[in-house]
Structures are given as C-alpha cells and as structure tokens.
Amino acid sequence: MRLLLLLALLVSLSEAKLTVAVSYPYIASIAKTIGGDKLTVETLAQGSWDPHFVVPKPSLIGRLRSADLIIINGADLESGWLPPLLTRASNGNLNNPANVLDLSKKVKLIDIPTDTGRAGGDVHADGNPHFHLDPHNIPVLAEAITLFLSQKDPANAPLYRGNLAAFKSLWSTNLKRWDSTMAPLRGTSVIQYHPVFNYFLRAYGLKSLATIEPLAGIPPSSGHTMKLIGIIAAEKPLCIMHDVYHSTKTGEFLHDKTGIKLLLMPHDVGSLETIDTISALFDALTKRLQ
Ligand SMILES: [Zn+2]
C-alpha cells in the first residue's frame, strides 16, 4: 500500500505543472500559446492599466507566491512596482536570477537618450520599453520564452518547440495581412499621448510627430498643448493615437480646436474588451488606423 502511495506521489510530481508569473497580459498570451496545458500562468498587471504605474495591490502578492519562474518585460517598465511585490511575496524561486526571463534583453531598444539629461523623460531613461508593439518582435519573444521553458522543463521541451513552430507559422500569415493593411499609411504621421506606440509606428513607416506629454511620464502643460495646436494645424497628422489609460481631456481639447481624429488604441491584451489575444491586439491597431 505504501509503495502504491509512493508511486502515485512520484507520478503526480512528474506531472506537476510549472507555474510562471508574468508582469503583463501580452507575455501571458505568448506563454499560454507556447506552454499550453503544461503551464499555469499568473498575470500581474491588467491590459487596461498604465504599464509604468501598476498599483502594487496585496492581491498581486498571492500570484507571485506559487510561481516557479517569472517573465518580465524589463527595460525599467516594472521598476516602480514589481520589486516591492517580490519582496513581500518572499518567494525564493523568484530571487534566483536563473528563474527570471527579462524579455528586454532579447530585442533592440529604440529611443535611447543620447545625453545624460532628462531627454527620455521620467520613465524612458534607458530607452523605450514598449517593444512588444512591434509585431516583428513577437516571434523573437516567443522563441526566448520557448527556450526558457524548455530549460526549466526538459520533459515537455518537444511540446513547447512544436507549439512555437505552429505559432510562428500563424504569425507570419498575420504579418503579411498587417503589412498589406498598413502599407497605404506609410509616411503619414500621428500624435500620441505617451510614446507607447513608437515601435508599432516604426514597423510600418509612420512618424510620431509629437506627444501630448511634453516628455515621457510628464503630464501635459498648457504651453505644450498650445504648441501642439500649431503643429497639428501645420502638419495635419492622421490622428491622435491615444492609449486607454490616460485621461483623454487634452486629446479632446485638441480635437475640438483642430478637428484631429481622436482614436483610443489598445497597447496590450485586455486593453479593450475585444482584445483577448496578442494577434487580436495587432488586428485592432491596424484596423483602427484605417
Ligand atoms: Zn512608456
């Protein structure tokens, strides 16, 4: 009887699923695609929240306590909110650097300030951390996640690699669709609230003419808003690509003064109700600009 119990315990241990905590929903979407039913994913931030300023609520601590691994965006995006949560969760697994995957190390960052002043603003001092909004970066991130999971769970590595291959094939079909949707917009310019869409714009040859924030993380000022009215009148940008988490008050004022279109644009899975996967995110971004 004891032997049977021991065997049952060993079988259940060998089938124990990995639990991975992730900071943002887009990472969860990729991790679930690669991990399938072999992975439990605990997501910290919601897609409708400002990714820079997640409120470190106690409910998020519980999601870190059971995790074996953690995957973060990095490039300082979590630096204001994740460290206090990790301290309070006191999960030894997550204090081991070998159990942490920092996705920012796998891609090339843009908008790196060239001086030592505040040109990057308060929140982009090391470059723009919103790299997941270039759809060409997604397969790179999916590969990094596959490698990470395969190292931690070699028994399921063939399954993870199979899921990656299927995902990459689907993604290359998606990229062709988004390329053709976006092609007519090449060369046009837009205004943003925060430079969250810079990677997306760069991927499709659009220009970010100005931001409603004078610098990343700095709220709008009346002087800067007046300057924007002049820029919009002179350059006639396509629209304001406004994120879902900042107040649209200044955007609406600019719309009233200049007639510029004000579009609410998702930046992550869950930013809007209909965006339930990472491909739905890019479908929405590309369609809303038309
Ligand atoms: Zn930002």
Side-chain angles (χ1 to χ4, degrees):
M1 188 65 187
R2 276 196 187 155
L3 186 64
L4 280 176
L5 281 173
L6 183 65
L7 278 172
L9 179 69
L10 284 173
V11 167
S12 74
L13 280 176
S14 69
E15 286 175 353
K17 289 206 291 189
L18 273 182
T19 297
V20 60
V22 305
S23 47
Y24 299 104
Y26 85 86
I27 306 175
S29 178
I30 305 172
K32 284 175 187 168
T33 303
I34 302 303
D37 62 3
K38 302 297 175 197
L39 198 65
T40 302
V41 179
E42 294 282 1
T43 314
L44 300 174
Q46 289 184 16
S48 54
W49 296 353
D50 184 336
H52 289 284
F53 299 105
V54 172
V55 179
K57 287 191 281 191
S59 60
L60 302 184
I61 297 165
R63 294 183 199 165
L64 288 167
R65 287 217 168 106
S66 58
D68 304 298
L69 311 168
I70 185 164
I71 307 176
I72 62 168
N73 183 91
D76 263 354
L77 195 53
E78 296 97 341
S79 61
W81 62 271
L82 186 56
L85 286 176
L86 283 169
T87 303
R88 291 179 63 193
S90 185
N91 176 347
N93 291 333
L94 307 186
N95 292 332
N96 177 356
N99 293 332
V100 181
L101 174 61
D102 178 343
L103 295 175
S104 70
K105 306 283 187 213
K106 309 295 174 185
V107 295
K108 191 171 164 23
L109 296 184
I110 62 170
D111 305 341
I112 293 172
T114 49
D115 62 19
T116 52
R118 290 174 68 224
D122 272 7
V123 293
H124 289 186
D126 294 332
N128 191 315
H130 308 295
F131 50 80
H132 74 282
L133 287 162
D134 180 345
H136 303 93
N137 279 340
I138 299 299
V140 178
L141 304 179
E143 271 182 36
I145 290 171
T146 303
L147 190 63
F148 183 59
L149 295 178
S150 300
Q151 283 166 348
K152 298 295 169 186
D153 179 18
N156 286 312
L159 179 119
Y160 299 145
R161 282 197 291 269
N163 288 344
L164 174 68
F167 176 71
K168 282 171 82 173
S169 161
L170 186 70
W171 201 257
S172 74
T173 309
N174 286 339
L175 281 173
K176 284 184 195 121
R177 183 172 74 253
W178 298 325
D179 280 352
S180 75
T181 309
M182 291 300 292
L185 295 179
R186 189 163 279 277
T188 52
S189 59
V190 301
I191 305 278
Q192 303 173 81
Y193 183 100
H194 174 82
V196 68
F197 299 109
N198 277 9
Y199 287 88
F200 177 80
L201 295 169
R202 183 169 158 273
Y204 293 110
L206 279 74
K207 185 182 167 197
S208 178
L209 197 57
T211 53
I212 293 176
E213 289 178 331
L215 286 172
I218 309 290
S221 64
S222 54
H224 182 68
T225 304
M226 289 303 144
K227 217 168 88 184
L228 287 177
I229 290 175
I231 292 173
I232 293 168
E235 306 272 343
K236 309 252 182 309
L238 178 69
C239 63
I240 299 172
M241 286 180 78
H242 205 294
D243 54 69
V244 300
Y245 52 86
H246 283 112
S247 161
T248 54
K249 197 174 144 213
T250 307
E252 283 164 29
F253 176 77
L254 291 170
H255 164 75
D256 289 345
K257 292 288 171 194
T258 67
I260 188 170
K261 259 194 301 185
L262 177 63
L263 299 178
L264 217 51
M265 302 296 264
H267 71 286
D268 202 340
V269 175
S271 282
L272 300 167
E273 263 182 29
T274 50
I275 318 274
D276 53 358
T277 63
I278 197 151
S279 55
L281 169 65
F282 289 102
D283 278 335
L285 282 170
T286 51
K287 275 187 199 148
R288 278 173 184 242
L289 280 178
Q290 304 305 309

